[in-house]
Amino acid sequence: MVSHSGLMTVIERAARKAAPRLRRDFNEVQNLQVSRKGPADFVSMADQRAEQTIYEELSHARPDWGFLMEERGEVAGDPNKPRFIVDPLDGTSNFLHGIPHFAISIAVEEPMASGKREITTALVYQPLTDESFWAEKGRGAWHTDQRLRVSGRRDLSDALIATGIPFLGHGDFVQWSRIFGAVAPQVAGIRRFGAASLDLAWVAAGRYDGFWESSLQPWDVAAGMLLVREAGGFVTDFRGGDRAMERNEYLAANDALHSKLHKLVANALR
C-alpha cells in the first residue's frame, strides 16, 4: 500500500474534515441560504463553511504558507514558501440543484529555483462517494491506494471526451462551438458533468479519454492537471503548448489522443 507524505496527509485530513458538513448540506439543499455572486454564479453557505474549515486546518498545519481560494481570494504567505490553491466546492451549480457530482480540490504550488511556480501536490476528493484522487510530483497519481493510469485508447472513434459548455456570463460560445463541431463527429461521445476538477481526475483514472475547456479559474484545474500528468497524460493549451494556465485553455488526454485532439482543435480555431 502506498504511503502518503506528511503534506498529503494534512491535505486529505482537511478535505475530510470539511466533507461531512457538505454531505449534510447537500441533503438539505432546499434550505440553503444562497446569495448571487455574479451572472449565474452562485455561492452558498455550504461553500463558505467548507472553505473556512479547510483554511483553518491547512493554515494551522502550515502557518507561513499562502493561499489562493475561490471565496477568500489570495491570502499572502511567505513568498519563498509554497501556497495552497483551494476550491472547497467545485460543482456549486450541481450542488445547489441536488445533482450529486461535486468535489473538493486542493493543490500545492511551490516556488522553483527557476523563479517559476509549479504544482507538486494535488487532491480531488468527492465527498458523496468518498473517492480520493491524489498525486505528488514524481510519485504518480492514485485513487485511494490504487495507481491511476490514463486511458490506453488510441482511436478517437473509441474515445469519450469531457468538456464544459459556456453559459451566462462565462466562456466563449463561438470558440466552443467551433471545437465541438470539429471533435463531436470524430468521437464516441461527449459529456458535460459540471465539475472540471472531477473531469480531469476522471481523465487520470481512464474513465474519460480526453477533456477540453477554457475560461476556468486556477482552483478549478490546478489539482486535476497534476493528476493527469502523473497518470501519464498530457495537459496543454489549445495550441499544444505549456501555457495552459496563462492562456486559460486546457486540453488533456493520453499521448496518442492528445495529438489527434490538438490537431482538430487547432484547425477549428484557425
Side-chain angles (χ1 to χ4, degrees):
M1 180 173 173
V2 66
S3 60
H4 283 173
S5 68
L7 177 57
M8 193 69 241
T9 300
V10 164
I11 291 170
E12 184 153 8
R13 185 168 62 227
R16 288 183 178 277
K17 188 161 184 179
R21 186 61 183 264
L22 280 179
R23 287 193 288 266
R24 285 197 301 275
D25 284 342
F26 180 73
N27 290 330
E28 299 175 10
V29 71
Q30 308 303 334
N31 301 322
L32 282 177
Q33 298 176 47
V34 180
S35 61
R36 189 174 284 268
K37 193 169 64 173
D41 187 8
F42 299 101
V43 56
S44 67
M45 294 300 293
D47 209 325
Q48 294 167 342
R49 281 193 293 256
E51 185 172 281
Q52 181 63 25
T53 298
I54 292 167
Y55 176 75
E56 288 173 357
E57 285 289 308
L58 296 180
S59 59
H60 176 73
R62 299 291 189 275
D64 50 354
W65 289 20
F67 286 81
L68 179 62
M69 312 184 82
E70 182 178 16
E71 307 303 337
R72 195 178 293 250
E74 193 160 356
V75 179
D78 183 336
N80 298 312
K81 295 287 181 69
R83 71 171 178 173
F84 294 106
I85 301 177
V86 179
D87 190 340
L89 178 52
D90 182 31
T92 305
S93 292
N94 284 347
F95 186 95
L96 292 175
H97 286 81
I99 297 170
H101 190 77
F102 55 88
I104 296 167
S105 176
I106 304 174
V108 172
E109 183 186 62
E110 293 192 36
M112 299 287 122
S114 64
K116 293 184 177 180
R117 300 181 71 88
E118 190 173 343
I119 304 299
T120 57
T121 309
L123 171 72
V124 174
Y125 179 69
Q126 195 168 11
L128 293 183
T129 58
D130 192 33
E131 286 185 286
S132 176
F133 302 89
W134 63 278
E136 294 179 288
K137 188 181 176 188
R139 294 192 68 207
W142 304 82
H143 178 226
T144 310
D145 59 352
Q146 292 188 323
R147 186 72 180 261
L148 293 180
R149 297 297 299 175
V150 291
S151 158
R153 293 185 180 90
R154 317 297 285 178
D155 298 320
L156 285 173
S157 59
D158 296 327
L160 186 63
I161 308 297
T163 188
I165 301 174
F167 57 97
L168 179 64
H170 293 263
D172 183 333
F173 287 91
V174 173
Q175 182 197 68
W176 185 87
S177 298
R178 285 178 178 169
I179 297 172
F180 179 82
V183 173
Q186 306 295 325
V187 299
I190 291 179
R191 300 289 182 268
R192 194 278 197 256
F193 280 6
S197 64
L198 281 170
D199 288 341
L200 287 164
W202 286 14
V203 172
R207 299 178 186 180
Y208 288 142
D209 301 297
F211 166 81
W212 94 86
E213 193 169 354
S214 60
S215 301
L216 293 166
Q217 298 293 338
W219 47 80
D220 295 322
V221 294
M225 289 172 68
L226 183 65
L227 282 165
V228 171
R229 287 167 175 161
E230 286 294 317
F234 292 83
V235 185
T236 70
D237 58 41
F238 290 165
R239 297 163 177 79
D242 62 358
R243 298 165 67 188
M245 277 197 166
E246 184 181 334
R247 295 185 182 276
N248 206 347
E249 301 170 347
Y250 304 90
L251 181 65
N254 66 25
D255 56 346
L257 293 179
H258 188 280
S259 62
K260 294 173 182 177
L261 285 170
H262 165 236
K263 286 173 187 170
L264 287 175
V265 171
N267 287 335
L269 297 181
R270 282 201 176 119

